[in-house]
Each structure stands twice: as C-alpha cells, then as structure tokens.
Amino acid sequence: MSDTMQKIHCLPCLVLCLSLASISRGADDPPATPEADRLVEQFIQRRGAPGVSVALGRDGKLLLTKAYGLANVEHQVPTTTDTVFRTASICKMFTAVSILQLAEQGKLDLDAPVATYFPNLHKDDWTFTTRQLLGHLAGVRHYKSSRESMSTRYFSDVQSALSTFANDPLLHKPGSQYKYSSFGYNLLGAIVEQQSGESYADYFRQHIGQVAGMQHTQVDNHFRIIPHRSAGYIRMQRKDNVPWAARRNFERGELYNAAMHDTSMKVPGGGMLSTPTDLIHFAHALLDESLVSNETKQQMWTEQKTNSGEGTSYGLGFRLYDNQKIVGHSGGQCGVSTQLLIDPETGSSAVVMCNLENADLYSLTRALLDSVE
C-alpha cells in the first residue's frame, strides 16, 4: 500500500488550501462571516486538512455554506459547496429516522425481539429489540479489527452484508451494556427493508431525502461515477488511531492518500455520501417535524440507559452532547471526518465535513454552532 501512496508536504498544501477558500463558494450560497472564516482557517492550519466544507442553519433557513481547500490534492480540484463527502456514521441518524417512521406507521414494534423479523435466520439468541439496536445496547459486535473497518469487499445489497457478523455471538446480555456497533445499524437497515418492502436506498430517497430536500445524498457506491465526489486523505499525527502495519511507512506530518475502503459492507451504519447543505436540510426537517412527530423526536433525543440504569449519552440514533442540550452525530472512516450538531432549543444547526480522517471536528462544529446563536 505504501508504494502507491502519494506524499504531499504540509506547508505548500496549507498555503494552497487557504488561497482557494475565497473561490470555493457557489454564486447563490449565503456569505460566510469573518468569524466562520477565522474558525475554519485556524482548524485547517492546525490540523493540516486538505479540504473542509461547512454549513450553518437556523429556524429553517440556510445561513452559511462555504467550502475551503482541495477536494482532490493530486489533481488540484477545489472543494466547493457541491462536493460530496462520505458521511461515515452520520448516516446512522438516517437509519434511526427510517426505523422510527415505520414504528409510527405501525409497521414494526420497537420492543419486539428482532428475531421475529428474520425467521429464516433461526437466531434464537436475537432476543434484543429494535430499540436496543438503536441505542447500541443489543450486544451486536462492532469491528473485530482494522481489516473489517477498512474492508474492500463489495456487497451488492444490505441483506448480503449481514453475513459479516450474523453468525457471531453477542458481546453481552441485551440491555446490560452500551457497546457502539455499526453492524447493529446494518441490521436496522435490513429491518427497514424487511418491513417497508423497499431497498434501503429507495426508502431513504423517498421518505427522507425527497422530504428534506437532500439532493446530493446517496449511497457511497465505489463503482459508480458520482459527480463532485471528494478524495480522502490521512495525515499522521502522534495520537492518530491507525494500525501499525499501515503507519510504519508514514512520516509524521505528511499527507497521504487514505486506504481503500468499500463501504457497501455497512451502508445503513456508515455508507452514504452527502454535503453539509443537505445535512442542514435534514436537521431542519427534523426540527420542523417533517420527518417524524414531536413525540418521536423526543424519544430519539432522550438518553438510553442500561438495565442497571447507567446512562449512555446516546439516544435512538443520535449522540447527546453537553448534558443532552445538543444532539447530533460524528463520523470517521478512511479519508473522512464529519460532524453534525443540532441545538433543539434555538433551532440552530451546524455541519462540518472534511476529507481528512482522524480529525476531531466537535470543537470546530460547536464553535460554529455557537456563532449562530
């Protein structure tokens, strides 16, 4: 892998990224504020991010959308507000909304054993519920190793990808522990298909994407030609969580192409593409109850607890931040870092997407959110 990775020195890349910031807005995009520019450019300088795209919203209005730097370093392609990035785990919110829409329609019971939806699999130990899957309390495992989290195996559909984990034992008794699991969300996506009679992609498109006005959001199909798709990168830092086998030939501080990764093995848990603008539209559709009812929304944003009453800082498909005042989700995988934050009290939302993996975006996104209020 190291023989094919292109090394880019830090300083020239940063200079070029910042010089392109002023030309990366669309003609109809809301203008950026000096404070937003300052926050993003400080992040780019500190973290060495090739490309960053941001969007802010409040009360159903798009307040800001702007892109900085390069979507593709090797071909010198600027990031624009139409650049699509991998969502990584941000799309767990899409899956949660899909499940809860079906529950509102009476098409599934959140508290019924999941095995009832998959009788052909003969899973007697699948006594966990859809609600427990949504809250990462079911005991379904996460990745065993980097070989799985950076898998290049292609799966033609959500159902076939279940083979990755379906025959493995549960990690714990359902409800007894919180264990984050992308594979648990694969199972939720399969339930969406089972109970709706539609593919996961079609269900999302019709019941979330079209309703919210998410024109660029789609499945991250490795083989399709997708306009404005960002390339992905990695820059080694001291604390980066990268396997030693990949890290040993990297020089600290240098920029490299990210490892290859086919996300078809986890579409409902981390295999979509989107833009910050689309994700702001998603946040607005949640806030104005276009996607789910207020009662369901409150369930999504209520902290789940283990059987012993221990809090998890997670709702139903949403992380809960700052003593549960802020909701949203982060995402990270090969070549990308993402963050969406929503303040339900003020109706404000902020999104940052970046084509650099292992870049913690919470502080930047929270500062941008605070700048709206």
Side-chain angles (χ1 to χ4, degrees), residues 88-165:
S89 289
I90 276 183
C91 74
K92 287 182 172 68
M93 294 182 288
F94 306 160
T95 302
V97 168
S98 301
I99 286 286
L100 292 165
Q101 286 177 338
L102 293 170
E104 285 185 340
Q105 298 163 23
K107 294 183 177 179
L108 63 82
D109 181 350
L110 292 178
D111 297 308
V114 165
T116 62
Y117 301 120
F118 300 97
N120 294 334
L121 293 181
H122 305 292
K123 294 295 180 183
D124 295 336
D125 61 334
W126 281 12
T127 59
F128 53 81
T129 67
T130 304
R131 189 187 304 275
Q132 288 172 328
L133 278 175
L134 286 166
H136 300 286
L137 294 164
V140 175
R141 72 172 180 85
H142 195 43
Y143 307 125
K144 283 182 177 178
S145 66
S146 61
R147 181 173 297 178
E148 283 190 336
S149 64
M150 297 190 294
S151 170
T152 57
R153 181 181 176 185
Y154 173 71
F155 291 91
S156 60
D157 54 54
V158 169
Q159 302 289 333
S160 64
L162 298 182
S163 63
T164 307
F165 67 92

Side-chain angles (χ1 to χ4, degrees), residues 94-108 110 192 203-204 206-209 211-212 282 285-286 290-293 296 300:
F94 306 160
T95 302
V97 168
S98 301
I99 286 286
L100 292 165
Q101 286 177 338
L102 293 170
E104 285 185 340
Q105 298 163 23
K107 294 183 177 179
L108 63 82
L110 292 178
V192 170
Y203 185 93
F204 168 83
Q206 180 176 348
H207 302 282
I208 298 178
V211 174
F282 174 70
L286 285 172
S290 297
L291 296 175
V292 293
S293 68
T296 295
M300 290 193 306

Side-chain angles (χ1 to χ4, degrees), residues 258-284:
M260 296 293 293
H261 180 33
D262 190 321
T263 61
S264 63
M265 48 89 76
K266 55 180 177 185
V267 169
M272 300 285 282
L273 299 169
S274 191
T275 66
T277 300
D278 271 15
L279 293 174
I280 290 293
H281 292 327
F282 174 70
H284 288 164

Side-chain angles (χ1 to χ4, degrees), residues 32-342:
T33 65
E35 176 66 4
D37 280 340
R38 182 186 67 82
L39 289 168
V40 176
E41 288 170 7
Q42 281 184 348
F43 170 80
I44 290 173
Q45 290 177 326
R46 182 178 69 255
R47 194 59 180 86
V52 178
S53 187
V54 305
L56 303 178
R58 184 168 185 173
D59 297 329
K61 297 179 181 179
L62 184 64
L63 300 181
L64 179 154
T65 177
K66 187 171 180 181
Y68 305 75
L70 295 171
N72 188 299
V73 174
E74 290 169 317
H75 295 285
Q76 302 291 284
V77 178
T79 311
T80 74
T81 54
D82 288 332
T83 298
V84 291
F85 298 82
R86 286 176 162 174
T87 64
S89 289
I90 276 183
C91 74
K92 287 182 172 68
M93 294 182 288
F94 306 160
T95 302
V97 168
S98 301
I99 286 286
L100 292 165
Q101 286 177 338
L102 293 170
E104 285 185 340
Q105 298 163 23
K107 294 183 177 179
L108 63 82
D109 181 350
L110 292 178
D111 297 308
V114 165
T116 62
Y117 301 120
F118 300 97
N120 294 334
L121 293 181
H122 305 292
K123 294 295 180 183
D124 295 336
D125 61 334
W126 281 12
T127 59
F128 53 81
T129 67
T130 304
R131 189 187 304 275
Q132 288 172 328
L133 278 175
L134 286 166
H136 300 286
L137 294 164
V140 175
R141 72 172 180 85
H142 195 43
Y143 307 125
K144 283 182 177 178
S145 66
S146 61
R147 181 173 297 178
E148 283 190 336
S149 64
M150 297 190 294
S151 170
T152 57
R153 181 181 176 185
Y154 173 71
F155 291 91
S156 60
D157 54 54
V158 169
Q159 302 289 333
S160 64
L162 298 182
S163 63
T164 307
F165 67 92
N167 292 321
D168 294 338
L170 299 183
L171 297 178
H172 55 77
K173 181 180 178 181
S176 64
Q177 297 182 51
Y178 170 87
K179 294 286 187 182
Y180 187 83
S181 172
S182 287
F183 290 140
Y185 271 71
N186 279 17
L187 193 51
L188 287 168
I191 294 172
V192 170
E193 294 188 337
Q194 199 86 348
Q195 300 308 109
S196 71
E198 303 175 58
S199 71
Y200 180 86
D202 287 344
Y203 185 93
F204 168 83
R205 187 180 306 111
Q206 180 176 348
H207 302 282
I208 298 178
Q210 291 180 5
V211 174
M214 303 169 71
Q215 298 180 358
H216 299 284
T217 306
Q218 59 197 290
V219 170
D220 177 23
N221 187 313
H222 174 73
F223 296 100
R224 285 184 55 218
I225 304 300
I226 297 178
H228 310 296
R229 193 202 308 241
S230 173
Y233 300 94
I234 182 170
R235 188 186 297 279
M236 297 307 305
Q237 304 290 348
R238 187 181 301 277
K239 295 182 180 180
D240 281 352
N241 182 25
V242 177
W244 175 249
R247 187 173 64 217
R248 61 186 178 187
N249 293 319
F250 290 170
E251 295 181 27
R252 187 178 174 214
E254 301 294 342
L255 188 71
Y256 297 86
N257 290 314
M260 296 293 293
H261 180 33
D262 190 321
T263 61
S264 63
M265 48 89 76
K266 55 180 177 185
V267 169
M272 300 285 282
L273 299 169
S274 191
T275 66
T277 300
D278 271 15
L279 293 174
I280 290 293
H281 292 327
F282 174 70
H284 288 164
L286 285 172
L287 290 166
D288 69 16
E289 296 158 26
S290 297
L291 296 175
V292 293
S293 68
N294 181 61
E295 180 181 356
T296 295
K297 185 171 62 176
Q298 297 310 314
Q299 286 187 60
M300 290 193 306
W301 297 345
T302 297
E303 183 181 40
Q304 300 301 290
K305 296 183 179 180
T306 65
N307 294 339
S308 63
E310 184 179 357
T312 63
S313 297
Y314 203 94
L316 302 179
F318 288 75
R319 290 197 182 278
L320 309 178
Y321 304 90
D322 192 14
N323 295 318
Q324 304 177 47
K325 295 177 182 177
I326 306 297
V327 302
H329 219 289
S330 60
Q333 61 188 213
C334 294
V336 73
S337 301
T338 60
Q339 180 78 65
L340 181 152
L341 296 176
I342 303 170

Side-chain angles (χ1 to χ4, degrees), residues 55-57 280 283 339-342 348-352 365-366 368-370 372:
L56 303 178
I280 290 293
Q339 180 78 65
L340 181 152
L341 296 176
I342 303 170
S348 303
S349 51
V351 179
V352 180
T365 312
R366 185 58 195 271
L368 288 167
L369 184 71
D370 290 344
V372 177

